[in-house]
């Protein structure tokens, strides 16, 4: 007699620590059993395939609100479609703040948009203006509502925070029990470089990389870590582009500082040379920090293997190339500093990391699962519901053909964006089915899920991001109230 609603049959189950042949028995949207000979009302044949936890992408810009009242082009429906096509079942996206305004109202509006999601979702709360009302009244409310991570930018007009404002955010996070994620680049150094390049008539996309060399990222990462260490507040450094930045993280980790590092597929397969394509084409590869060179990419893999960088997310930017809301927003001849930063990557994240990592022998499949699913789930308080294959976890799974060779084209990714920076990239390994809370939502590239069927993931307090308790002299409770 069938005991389960669905059994994924005969695959090789990959957990964060082991690989073994087993069936996965699912009922009521949860994994009930991992074993042999399980019987289900329905079955999904996984013979010859890997069965891994669904991807958890903790850094995606989807339908993000803009100050002019519009949003990114990628909606929660199209973004979910791309995520499910690529084997990702949970995302964390960004609720914004506009300088001079609060955070609760945009969050309420963003929650309304996200209600159409087909993947499970949570939010980071961006802070661009650390006013008293935001820091002391709104942040505690927002964090208590389950938005348990704050995001700050140390560069970009008009988003960046100065050091004092950054400290106020760190202190607010410590008081309320949230993680802080940080975009690390030195604001003034970049502005100074931009001014020099523009004055010299160097305006094309390739000068984007010249305006922000690795030192501006390394300096800001060092400073972010020092300030977080002073306040004893755990942080994650976003989108590490090169080993020099990872070394800053590693040194701090050795001192016992709670700092984690994220990197993204673009830093493994793109380089500054891509931005030197003829005409405006280079804009397709512009993101910040800027992709570096092959040596940096190989060095990043080493930092991944050492465990310094333990999360690989997409930093999916939800806008296109030819569209008026995208790279050409300021025209075809816009100088590099007026071209929106960011590249799409939600649907291509898992195939690129699997191919460059597992298929090329740099990491094993368990490490792949840790980097793309379990570690992000743990760090952001979603584990053990997400990121593992164990009884009681949500039945979020991807069935993976490790041998399948695919040449990436934009159509395969199923996002609304009109390009991919990975067009023509050959990968080995591709998702053939995605299961979200027990429902088969993608099979052979065909996504079938109801808009609105994704669930909001409210994140409760969790041990991993508790402060260490080590503070400099004089840091009693009053130190955090200014
Ligand atoms: O260039 C990037 N990374 N754009 C997205 C926004 C951000 O900085 O994360
Ligand atoms: Zn960033
Ligand atoms: Zn980002």
């Amino acid at each position: 007699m069938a005991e389960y609603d669905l059994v994924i049959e005969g695959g090789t189950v990959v957990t964060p620590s082991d690989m073994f042949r087993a069936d996965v028995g699912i009922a009521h949207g949860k994994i009930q059993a991992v074993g042999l000979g399980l019987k289900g009302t329905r079955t999904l044949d996984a013979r010859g395939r890997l069965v891994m936890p669904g991807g958890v992408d903790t850094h995606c810009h989807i339908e993000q609100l803009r100050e002019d009242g519009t949003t990114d082009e990628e909606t929660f429906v199209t973004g979910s479609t791309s995520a499910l096509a690529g084997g990702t079942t949970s995302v964390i996206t960004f609720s914004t703040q506009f300088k001079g305004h609060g955070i609760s109202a945009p969050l309420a509006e963003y929650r309304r948009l996200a209600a159409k999601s087909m993947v499970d979702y949570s939010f980071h709360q961006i802070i661009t203006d650390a006013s008293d009302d935001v820091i002391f009244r709104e942040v505690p409310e927002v964090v208590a509502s389950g938005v348990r991570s704050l995001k700050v930018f140390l560069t970009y007009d008009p988003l960046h925070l100065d050091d004092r404002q950054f400290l106020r955010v760190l202190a607010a996070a410590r008081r309320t029990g949230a993680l802080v994620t940080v975009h690390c680049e030195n604001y003034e150094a970049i502005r100074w470089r931009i001014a020099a390049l523009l004055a010299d008539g160097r305006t094309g996309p390739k000068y984007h990389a010249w305006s922000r060399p690795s030192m501006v990222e390394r300096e800001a990462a060092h400073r972010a870590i020092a300030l977080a260490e002073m306040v004893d507040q755990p942080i994650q450094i976003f989108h590490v582009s090169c080993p020099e930045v990872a070394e800053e993280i590693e040194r701090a980790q050795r001192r016992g500082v709670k700092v984690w590092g994220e990197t993204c597929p673009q830093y493994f397969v793109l380089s500054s040379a891509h931005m030197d394509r003829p005409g405006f084409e280079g804009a397709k590869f512009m993101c910040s920090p800027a992709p570096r060179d092959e040596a940096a990419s190989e060095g990043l893999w080493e930092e991944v293997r050492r465990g310094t960088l333990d999360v690989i997310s997409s930093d999916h930017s939800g806008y296109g190339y030819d569209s008026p809301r995208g790279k050409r927003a300021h025209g075809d001849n816009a100088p590099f500093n007026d071209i929106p930063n960011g590249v799409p990557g939600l649907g291509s994240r898992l195939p690129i990391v699997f191919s460059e990592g597992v298929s090329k022998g740099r990491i094993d499949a368990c490490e792949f699962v840790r980097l793309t699913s379990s570690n992000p789930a743990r760090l952001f308080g979603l584990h053990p519901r997400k990121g593992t294959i164990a009884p009681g976890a949500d039945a979020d799974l991807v069935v993976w053909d490790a041998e399948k060779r695919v040449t990436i084209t934009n159509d395969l990714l199923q996002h609304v964006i009109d390009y991919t920076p990975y067009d023509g990239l050959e990968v080995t390994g591709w998702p053939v089915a995605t299961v979200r809370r027990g429902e088969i939502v993608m099979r052979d590239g065909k996504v079938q899920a109801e808009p609105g069927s994704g669930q909001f993931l409210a994140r409760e307090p969790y041990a991993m991001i508790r402060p260490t308790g080590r503070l400099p002299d004089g840091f009693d409770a009053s130190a955090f109230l200014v």
Side-chain angles (χ1 to χ4, degrees):
M1 203 184 83
E3 233 183 305
Y4 304 105
D5 302 339
L6 174 67
V7 168
I8 304 184
E9 247 179 13
T12 298
V13 170
V14 188
T15 73
S17 56
D18 298 294
M19 269 176 86
F20 49 88
R21 290 286 301 277
D23 306 328
V24 180
I26 297 164
H28 315 298
K30 301 271 185 197
I31 296 172
Q32 306 290 342
V34 181
L36 296 172
L38 306 185
K39 297 276 173 280
T41 312
R42 287 179 313 140
T43 56
L44 180 61
D45 184 5
R47 274 169 295 189
R49 310 277 189 251
L50 303 179
V51 179
M52 303 189 279
V56 177
D57 193 342
T58 48
H59 185 165
C60 313
H61 302 272
I62 298 176
E63 212 163 347
Q64 197 165 308
L65 298 177
R66 297 179 176 193
E67 197 156 13
D68 64 4
T70 65
T71 63
D72 287 350
E73 292 158 82
E74 192 79 271
T75 68
F76 275 92
V77 171
T78 59
S80 296
T81 305
S82 186
L84 294 174
T88 287
T89 45
S90 302
V91 295
I92 305 187
T93 66
F94 294 85
S95 181
T96 46
Q97 180 192 13
F98 305 111
K99 273 200 200 302
H101 298 271
I103 55 177
S104 311
L107 177 59
E109 169 64 2
Y110 196 54
R111 281 193 76 136
R112 197 183 62 73
L113 297 174
K116 290 229 168 61
S117 183
M118 291 125 68
V119 286
D120 290 352
Y121 59 96
S122 191
F123 309 131
H124 305 291
Q125 176 61 57
I126 294 174
I127 307 288
T128 61
D129 190 345
S131 67
D132 278 357
D133 192 50
V134 168
I135 290 295
F136 295 110
R137 187 182 65 80
E138 290 196 298
V139 165
E141 282 173 15
V142 164
V143 173
S145 77
V147 177
R148 204 156 283 282
S149 42
L150 308 178
K151 156 82 187 281
V152 301
F153 293 90
L154 301 185
T155 193
Y156 285 143
D157 270 323
L159 307 173
H160 98 287
L161 296 186
D162 63 24
D163 291 350
R164 186 191 174 107
Q165 289 182 311
F166 177 41
L167 282 164
R168 280 163 65 85
V169 174
L170 291 167
R174 193 176 196 276
R175 279 195 304 274
T176 54
L179 183 66
V180 176
T181 62
V182 193
H183 178 123
C184 292
E185 288 184 296
N186 182 304
Y187 173 69
E188 290 295 349
I190 294 170
R191 279 172 20 118
W192 182 72
R193 283 297 294 140
I194 290 174
L197 289 164
L198 295 183
D200 205 25
R202 293 169 150 164
T203 58
K206 88 167 195 184
Y207 300 109
H208 171 70
W210 290 29
S211 72
R212 47 210 324 135
S214 63
M215 302 83 193
V216 305
E217 187 186 352
R218 175 162 54 84
E219 183 280 331
H222 178 88
R223 181 162 34 102
I225 293 167
L227 298 182
E229 187 175 359
M230 177 167 101
V231 177
D232 183 27
Q233 166 56 37
I235 59 171
Q236 188 198 39
I237 308 283
F238 265 174
H239 40 46
V240 171
S241 74
C242 56
E244 301 91 289
V245 174
E247 283 159 18
E248 296 291 336
I249 296 172
E250 194 179 359
R251 258 198 298 282
Q253 288 172 338
R254 279 207 301 268
R255 289 197 301 279
V257 179
K258 284 194 164 183
V259 52
W260 292 271
E262 169 211 74
T263 189
C264 314
Q266 45 271 42
Y267 300 113
F268 296 124
V269 295
L270 300 182
S271 73
S272 56
H274 284 89
M275 284 170 262
D276 198 15
R277 298 242 174 123
F280 197 69
E281 179 89 5
K284 288 182 177 171
F285 309 94
M286 277 178 59
C287 58
S288 293
R292 313 272 175 212
D293 58 21
E294 264 182 46
S297 300
E298 213 42 64
L300 280 181
W301 277 115
E302 184 53 34
E303 297 294 344
V304 163
R305 282 190 293 265
R306 292 152 77 98
T308 314
L309 305 176
D310 64 349
V311 167
I312 304 181
S313 58
S314 68
D315 192 6
H316 179 80
S317 287
Y319 42 83
Y321 179 61
D322 271 323
S323 76
R325 276 190 276 168
K327 298 284 186 186
R328 292 194 200 271
H330 299 282
D332 286 356
N333 293 315
F336 67 87
N337 59 315
D338 279 342
I339 301 171
N341 286 196
V343 294
L346 190 43
S348 49
R349 179 182 70 121
L350 295 185
I352 293 175
V353 178
F354 190 91
S355 184
E356 292 294 313
V358 184
S359 306
K360 293 194 176 169
R362 291 179 171 115
I363 55 172
D364 66 17
C366 296
E367 178 74 337
F368 170 80
V369 164
R370 288 198 292 273
L371 291 163
T372 57
S373 181
S374 359
N375 290 348
R378 279 178 194 279
L379 184 59
F380 288 95
L382 299 171
H383 193 267
R385 180 171 171 190
K386 304 292 186 188
T388 191
I389 301 183
D394 279 359
D396 291 348
L397 299 154
V398 57
V399 180
W400 195 270
D401 183 344
E403 312 298 328
K404 188 165 174 170
R405 295 174 69 138
V406 173
T407 302
I408 293 183
T409 60
N410 198 43
D411 285 351
L412 284 174
L413 302 177
Q414 302 191 44
H415 49 210
V416 83
I417 312 298
D418 59 355
Y419 82 101
T420 168
Y422 311 115
D423 205 8
L425 183 73
E426 290 186 9
V427 292
T428 303
W430 197 257
V432 291
T434 306
V435 176
R436 187 220 48 203
R437 280 182 279 105
E439 199 182 330
I440 302 171
V441 282
M442 187 280 282
R443 231 172 159 158
D444 296 323
K446 196 167 165 29
V447 174
Q448 264 182 324
E450 259 321 289
S453 54
Q455 290 182 356
F456 175 66
L457 301 167
R459 293 178 282 139
E460 298 293 324
Y462 54 106
M464 197 163 172
I465 60 163
R466 255 184 234 137
T468 65
R470 285 193 302 274
L471 281 162
D473 288 346
F475 271 72
D476 49 26
S478 65
F480 297 98
L481 294 176
V482 286

